[in-house]
Amino acid sequence: MQYFSTNNHSSKVSLRDAILHSQAPDGGLYMPDNLPRFPQAIFNNIAEMTPIEISYFIAYSLFGSDIPSAEIKRIGEDALKFPIPLVEIEPGIFALELFHGPTCTVKDIGIRYLARMLSALNPDFPKPLNVMVATTGHSGSAVANGFHHVDGVNVFAMYPSQTPDSQVAQVAMLGDNVYAVSINGNIDQCRSLVRSTIADKDLNEKIRFTCVNSVNIGRVLPGIIPYFLAYAQLQAKQPKHGPIKVSVPCGNGGMLLAGYFAKRMGLPIGKLIAANNANGAFCRYLSQDKADLTEATKRTRAYAMDATVPTNLPRFELLCNGNKEALRRDIMADSCTDAEIDSTIRDVLSRTGYMLDPHSAVAYRCLKNNLAPGETGIFLATAHPARCLTTMEQITGQKVEIPPQLVKFTSGRGTERSLPATYPAWRKYLLNILKIRR
Ligand SMILES: *Cc1c(COP(=O)(O)O)cnc(C)c1O
């Protein structure tokens, strides 16, 4: 499969170039040129396949022309070596739990997979690739963890020095090939250091840098796999289910896009629901011709979904050829406020004993609002409640159990290094580290 830019459909690049560069030189986003499409008969026996077989089957159909099959098998088994269960929480409503990875959010899936693909496709082998990430939230910890101990890759994770210890620990307690750098500045200054590094021609002749931000198509495509795993589990549990609606919590729209890809590949699901928090980005996008760029992003309980202009919009725009009507046949949007998140968490906990985190609560609520009698609903549960411990304890008045993989990373600033927010200081640091390692 090849990849083209949303700004220029004629020049195509390989999977390696698409994931190594994240964004096309013309500023567009990479798109796969030829998604596989499966006949319906394939799905008759899917319930008898193991998760490993399903993952391999889907991954091979996507990456088989770029990565040797044995390698695809190894990448999949290593990247997705945690369960992705479908849990019925009330009659006809299922949670697809995507939070059993090392950092307990959905980000583990795309990032772990991308890390292993980059390692397998490293053009400078045996010289390492250097991955940079600037974040305060879920993707920083998932990147640090996802690339930890991956051969031939160094990770430089930057975050503002004000970042709480509980988030820093996720990055700084790893060591080895993960470099945690606390920047004496804000997140925009961290991002600007990333941009300056990429623009530094002299440095890039010596060292190869890669950026694994949310637009990287190598993070989106692995997200297709869980939709097939969900369908297989539903077939096994309830072969006589009704038409399926799938509700997806949306920030930058990566997981929603993966669901849309899965549907276009033939997975028998009905409508997708773009579940928004109070920022309502997808609601506005689907109902208007252009997303409203003027509104400031609100900070909400479901903070990993705080976006007013989801970065994946150009991809949706291209897939529907600018025809919103066509998109609305496959995707509907709904949203939910912080107060609704709180009441949903309390209501579901008291009725069913199931504890939703704020992101999953948005997906549940938007599903519940739009599920017709006889339909079967699946919502994506994208974070473990322990990722926002204090908020959850405030909302529920209950203690939240911390999964063992998070316990290790709740405190400590480990191998952290502190730097001022200036490019010369950052550049000197990089050169030092990379020289020492060779
Ligand atoms: C990133 C994230 C989302 C949103 O995913 P997108 O692919 O950006 O739409 C939802 N929930 C959680 C917990 C996340 O970390």
Side-chain angles (χ1 to χ4, degrees), residues 88-257:
E88 185 168 29
I89 68 166
E90 63 185 71
I93 296 193
F94 295 81
L96 181 65
E97 294 184 347
L98 301 172
F99 53 71
H100 295 288
T103 72
C104 296
T105 81
V106 61
K107 301 282 187 291
D108 285 326
I109 293 173
I111 289 169
R112 287 176 64 80
Y113 211 100
L114 171 61
R116 284 148 188 81
M117 289 201 291
L118 279 172
S119 165
L121 296 174
N122 178 2
D124 297 333
F125 181 83
K127 270 172 67 179
L129 278 178
N130 298 286
V131 169
M132 285 179 297
V133 60
T135 85
T136 53
H138 295 172
S139 45
S141 51
V143 167
N145 243 291
F147 281 85
H148 190 219
H149 293 321
V150 172
D151 279 348
V153 186
N154 297 316
V155 180
F156 294 93
M158 279 172 265
Y159 45 85
S161 49
Q162 297 298 316
T163 309
D165 283 11
S166 58
Q167 299 287 340
V168 172
Q170 304 263 340
V171 175
M173 296 301 282
L174 294 164
D176 188 51
N177 62 332
V178 175
Y179 298 90
V181 189
S182 157
I183 300 289
N184 225 324
N186 59 29
I187 184 68
D188 291 322
Q189 288 170 297
C190 297
R191 291 197 183 114
S192 147
L193 291 176
V194 172
R195 279 193 300 272
S196 305
T197 315
I198 288 174
D200 184 335
K201 286 218 167 60
D202 177 52
L203 193 67
N204 281 269
E205 275 167 22
K206 302 190 186 92
I207 304 163
R208 189 187 293 265
F209 291 103
T210 289
C211 178
V212 293
N213 54 16
S214 64
V215 305
N216 199 308
I217 193 71
R219 276 176 61 169
V220 176
L221 294 176
I224 294 172
I225 295 170
Y227 289 92
F228 285 83
L229 296 175
Y231 183 76
Q233 292 178 74
L234 183 63
Q235 290 295 88
K237 284 177 204 283
Q238 268 179 25
K240 292 197 170 42
H241 60 76
I244 305 168
K245 276 206 176 110
V246 183
S247 177
V248 184
C250 276
N252 283 316
M255 274 312 287
L256 181 70
L257 181 66

Side-chain angles (χ1 to χ4, degrees), residues 18-36:
I19 65 177
L20 216 49
H21 300 299
S22 251
Q23 207 152 348
D26 60 16
L29 310 189
Y30 285 116
M31 284 292 274
D33 71 342
N34 195 9
L35 273 186

Side-chain angles (χ1 to χ4, degrees), residues 42-59:
I42 294 257
F43 300 103
N44 296 344
N45 299 323
I46 194 170
E48 281 131 52
M49 292 168 76
T50 66
I52 287 182
E53 287 165 349
I54 295 170
S55 305
Y56 173 74
F57 178 76
I58 301 302

